[in-house]
Amino acid sequence: MDVTVFSTKPYDRRFLDAANAQGQHSLHYLEARLDADTAALAFGSTAVCVFVNDCVDRAVLTQLHACGIRTVALRCAGYNQVDLAAAEALGMAVVRVPAYSPHAVAEFTVALMLALDRNIPRAWARVRENNFALDGLIGRNLNGRTVGVVGTGRIGALVARTLRAGFGCEVLARDVVHDPALEAIGVRYVPIDTLLTTSEIVSLHCPLTPATHHLVNAAVIAAARPGLLLVNTSRGALVDTRALIAGLKSHKLSGVALDVYEQEADLFFEDLSNEIIQDDDFQRLLTFPNVLVTGHQAFLTEEALTAIAETTLASLDDAQAGRPLQHQLRAETALSPS
Ligand code: NAD
């Protein structure tokens, strides 16, 4: 199968080539992000392979279809960037990688939580300047703290388990589906309002849907426990950035760690160190001493990249052979109440 791979980074190429070692597919690597201006570059392929910040809306899908594309392979779990109804109407199959390594994201989430709470990036910056003073670096134990986990699917369940069984936290959870294995170790499912008003730390692990857009907004921050720490490794638009900035300025929030950002498509995955960043909200976030931002790297482990490449290639094998697609997304998936 001829596949145009958009938003290719050197590590994508390395892992996709390893999974395609038999040369069963012709992979055409492009650094360009998929959007209305670049869709035509897929001409000659029958499939495209895309990532989280590629634009796969109705207009782009229509262009891709006209170029001969019949399969869209997402090399990620989230699919909020895709108009599934449009794809279905055009007769295009959309496949994803539902679970490549939930451990990669869960472990990174806990790493962010600890780094933020124990001021590790600030400490490292000081030590590099031969400043060994400890003033301003006082943290808190995780043990005994109340942590709210929103979404206990593959990633959230691992985070909840690590915090509960590993660190001895009180873990409150919210999900439309309860996980009895988590309840058995003492994780307590509570209504979202209780979770958001009771927790000292909140970690977001639910998908971005119309129901969860700006789940953390000004009203939620106003009602939150003073000194709340917020960690988001899920999707940027779960959080209203301006409300976050206001909450940090008023000291209502005592710290924020983000691996995802609402407007990350204009920033992340690129070296912009010689550019003037035009996003004033993002720049403001970076000025707070108690904000830690990483550029959507929670997934980035050897294990996850191997699994992403292998699952993507297996889906392309199935598409080529006309077999049922195990990881196909249907339009109703996006509309399901969550
Ligand atoms: P999952 O589908 O296994 O779990 C999501 C859970 O959220 C499900 O249990 C679902 O019932 C629950 N949920 C849905 N709506 C909810 C709501 N309104 N309130 C509470 N819970 C709700 O997904 P996952 O694999 O655990 O991924 C979780 C998130 O992490 C996704 O948004 C995904 O895009 C993101 N993610 C980020 C990275 C990264 O590198 N930062 C990597 C992979 C995944």
Side-chain angles (χ1 to χ4, degrees), residues 77-78 98 100 105 150-156 174-177 205-208 211-212 233-235 259-260 296-299 338:
Y100 39 88
V105 185
V150 183
T152 54
R154 282 169 283 246
I155 296 167
R174 162 68 195 156
D175 200 308
V176 283
V177 188
H205 301 287
C206 58
L208 176 63
T212 60
T233 59
S234 189
R235 282 292 179 266
D259 185 51
V260 287
H296 206 138
Q297 73 168 87
F299 73 98
S338 54

